[in-house]
Amino acid sequence: MHNNISFGSTLKPVPAKLFNQVIHQIGSERAVNYPWTLKESRLAKDVYTTNVIDCSACVISSGQESLLLHLDPSKEVNHAFSQVLAFLRDKIDLKNQNLQAVLIGSKNTKKSQDIYNKFKTLLTNLNIPFSELKSGKTPTSVAYKSEKDTVYISNQTIDKILKKGQTDKDAIHQSFDEVRIAPCDEIA
């Protein structure tokens, strides 16, 4: 088990304007863009993706770099998780004790749930602790910056809640149908 994690990620809900500043710093060459298959995944110090609706996005981080996957459930190839596992083995050291993940997305449809649940099973089987932000009420964007080990999360619901002066924790919990924060993570 990965119980000896020496760091934890901070989940930081941010308004769209601040998110745009963060991704501008990261650069478009580190974005995971449409058509959202394994081929578009990025391994870098800092990464981001936008428009997570019925897709599932997963950030797997070692603290030094992260691998971001954004898989569209309408693409049959994305349901083959033997390929996802092979891809992960090729890209990152799955025995690294510092690995942790954040899983975001899905809607209540069979295809969408299939990918989300396969991610959960895979992360569990690999003993990678992970936080879950399931079924966003509005399209969600996510970015990871290793310097501060922070996962930035933005959507219209978060914008509205933060503008009302509510807490970051409120913003996260009200923006997703299900929220589960791993013991190694925290909401900013």
Side-chain angles (χ1 to χ4, degrees):
M1 286 285 293
H2 291 235
N3 290 335
N4 306 335
I5 292 183
S6 58
F7 70 97
S9 287
T10 300
L11 305 180
K12 178 79 179 138
V14 294
K17 186 176 179 182
L18 180 55
F19 187 85
N20 288 334
Q21 291 171 359
V22 168
I23 65 173
H24 180 73
Q25 292 168 355
I26 292 173
S28 59
E29 68 282 357
R30 294 194 204 99
V32 178
N33 294 316
Y34 182 83
W36 300 313
T37 67
L38 271 182
K39 286 180 193 160
E40 289 76 40
S41 298
R42 292 281 175 267
L43 176 66
K45 195 175 169 204
D46 304 326
V47 291
Y48 74 90
T49 193
T50 59
N51 228 16
V52 178
I53 304 170
D54 61 339
C55 299
S56 291
C58 186
V59 180
I60 302 174
S61 170
S62 67
Q64 273 73 54
E65 63 181 4
S66 59
L67 178 63
L68 176 58
L69 302 94
H70 181 163
L71 300 181
D72 181 340
S74 70
K75 302 199 171 35
E76 216 43 57
V77 67
N78 287 342
H79 293 266
F81 262 63
S82 58
Q83 291 178 14
V84 174
L85 179 57
F87 181 81
L88 292 179
R89 283 188 175 129
D90 186 49
K91 295 290 183 190
I92 57 177
D93 174 11
L94 293 174
K95 293 183 178 22
N96 182 335
Q97 293 293 303
N98 284 327
L99 290 180
Q100 63 187 63
V102 178
L103 180 58
I104 298 166
S106 90
K107 288 290 180 206
N108 196 14
T109 65
K110 189 175 180 190
K111 281 188 170 193
S112 182
Q113 292 290 313
D114 180 61
I115 290 180
Y116 190 90
N117 290 330
K118 284 178 178 173
F119 263 126
K120 281 180 66 168
T121 300
L122 183 69
L123 292 168
T124 301
N125 290 344
L126 293 171
N127 292 316
I128 298 173
F130 63 100
S131 293
E132 291 181 70
L133 303 174
K134 188 174 182 184
S135 299
K137 293 177 171 56
T138 52
T140 300
S141 298
V142 60
Y144 175 83
K145 290 194 74 174
S146 61
E147 184 184 354
K148 293 184 177 173
D149 194 25
T150 300
V151 178
Y152 296 90
I153 302 141
S154 184
N155 61 37
Q156 287 178 340
T157 311
I158 287 171
D159 261 9
K160 288 177 187 168
I161 292 163
L162 292 176
K163 280 180 183 155
K164 289 180 186 172
Q166 292 183 269
T167 67
D168 288 352
K169 198 171 188 174
D170 288 338
I172 292 284
H173 283 277
Q174 291 177 39
S175 295
F176 299 91
D177 289 344
E178 291 179 43
V179 174
R180 192 184 64 75
I181 306 300
C184 56
D185 292 340
E186 65 182 7
I187 297 174

